[in-house]
Amino acid sequence: YRACMRIRTRACFGGVATGLATVLLASTASAAPAPGAPGVGDPYYPGDGNGGYDVTHYDIRLTYQPDVDGLSGTTTILATAETELSSFNLDFALDIRSVRVNNRPARVERDTADPTEVVVTPSEPLPEGSPMTVVVRYADTPSKVTVDGWTAWKLTDTGALAVDEPHIAEWWFPSNDHPTDKATYDVAVEVPDDVVALSNGVLSSRSKVRAGWTRWHWRSTEPQATYLTFLAVGDYDVRQATTPSGLPIVNAYDAGLGSIRPAAEASVERTPEVIEFLEGVFGPYPFEAQGGVVTNGLGFALENQTRSVYDAGFFRHGTNMSVVVHENAHQWFGDSVSLERWSDIWLNEGFATYAEYLWSEHIGEGTAAELAQYVYDSVPADDDFWQVLPGDPGADAQFHPAVYDRGALAVHALRTAVGDEVFFELMRTWLEDKRGGHGNIEEFIALAERLAGTQLDDVFEEWLFTKGKPEAGPNGAATR
Ligand code: ARG
Ligand code: ZN
C-alpha cells in the first residue's frame, strides 16, 4: 500500500533483502567466524549500534571529578553472541585503557574513519550463542572529546550532564548504541561529597568508603535504551517519596534555581498525578520508579527512563504541566516502546505531544479537538512547517516542530478517522504488545487498520508522508 511504497527501500524491500541475507549468512556462518557489523543499518545513523551481539546488562562504575571534568572507571557489558564472532564493535568516543572479553585481554582498535567505532578482537572467536563478558576500562575528559565537531557532554556550574538524544552514551559508556538493543543497568558513580550523582531507576545504595567521596548506585531493572540512560552530577536538592502503589519517586532540583524553584516544584512534584492520568489513557505505567530532574544548562527536556530531565527554562514564566505530561507520556511512547529506526520518531513525538492535548481536556481547559484545530488553523498553508514530513523528517529535522505539532495533528486525524473506541484501544494494544521492545510506523499502521477493520492509507499518507497542508483539518472536512 502507499505508505509502504513510499519508503519501500527501507521497510518493504528492506525486509525481503534482510530475509535473504539471513539465509545466506546462515549457510556460511558455521564455515568461519566473521566480524560483527559496525552498525545495525539505521536509515539516519548507519553507524549506530553494532551487529552480532545482544546486550542484556550494563554495569557502569565510574568516578567523576567535576573540577577537572575527569571521568574514569569501568563498564562491564553482559551480552550474547548472535553469530560466530571473530571481532565485534562498541560505540564509544572516550580513551580506552583496556578491554577484556571473557576474562582474557582483547585487542582494541579504533576505526580511523569513524572514531566512535571501537573494534574489539577477542583472543579467540566467540561461538554463536555464547555469553560475553566485556570489561572496558577507561579515563578521559568528556568535554574535550568531539565527534563530528561537537560534544554532547555538558558542563554545568557545579557538575556535568550526560543527557541527549539521539547520541550521548559514547561520551560516558561503551555500548551497542541503538534503541533496538535495550538492556538493564547498574550505574554507580563516585563523586565529591558536596555534589550528587543522579541516574535512572532506584537508588540502591549511597555509600562512603573514603573521606570526601560518596558513591551513588542506581539500578534500572526494565529494558532501557542507551540514549535514555543518563547521568547528572551537581549540586541538587533530592526529594524522595513513595507512590500509593509503592513506587519510589526521586525528584531533584538544581540548588541554583532561585526564583524558578517554586514553579518547577509545582510542576514536577505532580509527576505521580500525571502518571495516574496517563495510565488511564495508555494502560499500566511500565517502570519501577518515577521522577524528574530540573537542571540548568541543558536547553531542552529529555524523557530519560523513569526520570525525565528538564531545563529550568521550562519553568521560568510559571508552572508548565505540558512539558511534564510530554516527558512522562514518552515513558510509554519512546521508553517502553522504543523506535526501531530513528526515522520512526513520530511514534515518540507525535504521541507525547498529543498527550499534552489530552491533559488539557482532562483538567477542563481546551479539548484535544479544539487544540488540534487551533494549531492547524494557526499555520498558513505556505509556511515551511508543512514541508517537513513527520513520518520521515530526515536526520537533520528529527526534532523539527512539524514532528511534534503536525505529528500530534496526525494522531488527532487518526482519532477522527477511526472513532474514540478504536483509537484508545489502538494505543493501549500497541503499548501492551510492544512493551519493553520496539516498533516501527508500518507496524503501527497495520495494527490501526486491523483494529479499525479498514484501510487507513488516506489519513496516514496525507498526515505523515505528504508535503503541504492537508485539505481537511484534523477534525475532518466538516469543521473546516
Ligand atoms: N525527546 C525530547 C523531547 O521531546 C527532545 C530532545 C531534543 N534533543 C536535543 N538534543 N535537543 O522532549
Ligand atoms: Zn518529546
Side-chain angles (χ1 to χ4, degrees):
Y1 59 118
R2 278 184 292 155
C4 194
M5 290 300 288
R6 177 173 290 278
I7 44 178
R8 60 182 177 263
T9 48
R10 296 209 306 271
C12 305
F13 291 4
V16 173
T18 306
L20 287 175
T22 307
V23 171
L24 292 174
L25 268 179
S27 63
T28 53
S30 56
V40 294
D42 188 275
Y44 288 1
Y45 307 106
D48 282 18
N50 304 291
Y53 66 96
D54 178 40
V55 179
T56 53
H57 188 76
Y58 292 93
D59 186 284
I60 303 170
R61 185 178 176 92
L62 303 170
T63 297
Y64 183 66
Q65 239 180 302
D67 53 346
V68 295
D69 187 35
L71 185 74
S72 62
T74 303
T75 290
T76 302
I77 301 171
L78 304 181
T80 306
E82 289 176 320
T83 57
E84 188 180 8
L85 292 170
S86 55
S87 68
F88 61 90
N89 280 31
L90 294 170
D91 299 314
F92 195 45
L94 303 188
D95 199 37
I96 294 176
R97 296 259 170 96
S98 69
V99 178
R100 290 169 67 93
V101 178
N102 295 342
N103 285 302
R104 290 172 190 194
R107 189 151 54 90
V108 190
E109 289 152 299
R110 221 172 261 276
D111 182 336
T112 43
D114 181 351
T116 66
E117 292 296 339
V118 173
V119 183
V120 177
T121 307
S123 60
E124 52 193 56
L126 303 166
E128 180 182 337
S130 64
M132 299 161 62
T133 304
V134 182
V135 181
V136 183
R137 285 193 51 198
Y138 51 100
D140 212 330
T141 307
S143 60
K144 296 221 167 92
V145 176
T146 56
V147 176
D148 298 331
W150 85 302
T151 172
W153 180 266
K154 291 157 200 78
L155 297 179
T156 64
D157 289 347
T158 56
L161 295 166
V163 177
D164 217 317
E165 180 184 9
H167 300 128
I168 187 59
E170 59 212 48
W171 280 277
W172 70 291
F173 66 96
S175 75
N176 190 17
D177 195 13
H178 195 268
T180 48
D181 190 3
K182 299 201 278 189
T184 55
Y185 285 80
D186 276 276
V187 175
V189 180
E190 188 186 48
V191 291
D193 287 340
D194 60 350
V195 292
V196 307
L198 303 163
S199 189
N200 315 73
V202 172
L203 182 63
S204 65
S205 70
R206 184 173 67 189
S207 53
K208 281 190 67 73
V209 290
R210 58 169 167 151
W213 294 82
T214 301
R215 180 172 297 280
W216 299 69
H217 191 139
W218 298 90
R219 173 168 288 168
S220 290
T221 53
E222 297 292 333
Q224 179 171 295
T226 45
Y227 81 98
L228 296 169
T229 305
F230 84 102
L231 176 65
V233 175
D235 187 5
Y236 292 90
D237 295 330
V238 181
R239 285 186 60 166
Q240 289 183 269
T242 308
T243 65
S245 57
L247 288 194
I249 306 169
V250 180
N251 295 331
Y253 301 89
D254 188 306
L257 291 183
S259 61
I260 298 175
R261 175 72 175 262
E265 278 192 42
S267 310
V268 175
E269 290 299 318
R270 291 178 70 185
T271 299
E273 179 191 351
V274 166
I275 286 177
E276 211 178 291
F277 165 70
L278 293 173
E279 284 192 305
V281 182
F282 295 154
Y285 179 67
F287 301 121
E288 75 277 29
Q290 51 168 274
V293 176
V294 182
T295 188
N296 279 305
L298 185 61
F300 54 88
L302 188 66
E303 62 269 24
N304 299 113
Q305 189 160 310
T306 70
R307 198 147 298 121
S308 300
V309 177
Y310 307 91
D311 186 88
F314 283 101
F315 310 105
R316 182 155 293 134
H317 305 293
T319 50
N320 185 343
M321 292 311 292
S322 293
V323 73
V324 176
V325 170
H326 182 105
E327 303 313 330
N328 280 291
H330 275 310
Q331 300 301 314
W332 284 262
F333 283 96
D335 296 9
S336 171
V337 182
S338 298
L339 303 178
E340 183 175 310
R341 310 164 298 217
W342 283 107
S343 50
D344 294 316
I345 190 71
W346 169 72
L347 288 172
N348 285 7
E349 302 306 344
F351 288 85
T353 305
Y354 194 67
E356 300 173 44
Y357 298 5
L358 294 172
W359 171 266
S360 168
E361 182 163 342
H362 167 68
I363 60 172
E365 298 182 351
T367 64
E370 288 172 331
L371 270 59
Q373 191 66 40
Y374 184 72
V375 171
Y376 175 79
D377 290 338
S378 303
V379 188
D382 61 358
D383 196 295
D384 282 349
F385 173 89
W386 299 108
Q387 298 306 306
V388 175
L389 302 178
D392 191 3
D396 293 341
Q398 235 190 307
F399 303 107
H400 188 280
V403 175
Y404 291 70
D405 299 325
R406 183 175 175 168
L409 300 189
V411 174
H412 193 76
L414 169 65
R415 180 179 174 181
T416 301
V418 300
D420 279 7
E421 200 178 317
V422 169
F423 174 73
F424 288 102
E425 187 195 354
L426 168 60
M427 288 198 295
R428 294 176 76 107
T429 305
W430 173 255
L431 293 166
E432 192 180 309
D433 288 357
K434 298 285 189 185
R435 180 172 173 159
H438 49 83
N440 65 45
I441 293 178
E442 291 80 67
E443 290 172 333
F444 184 84
I445 294 173
L447 180 65
E449 293 186 333
R450 182 161 72 73
L451 295 180
T454 178
Q455 286 287 301
L456 294 164
D457 293 6
D458 290 351
V459 61
F460 286 110
E461 185 64 20
E462 174 152 56
W463 284 93
L464 297 182
F465 297 109
T466 306
K467 289 184 182 183
K469 185 171 182 173
E471 277 281 305
N475 289 294
T479 61
R480 281 176 65 206

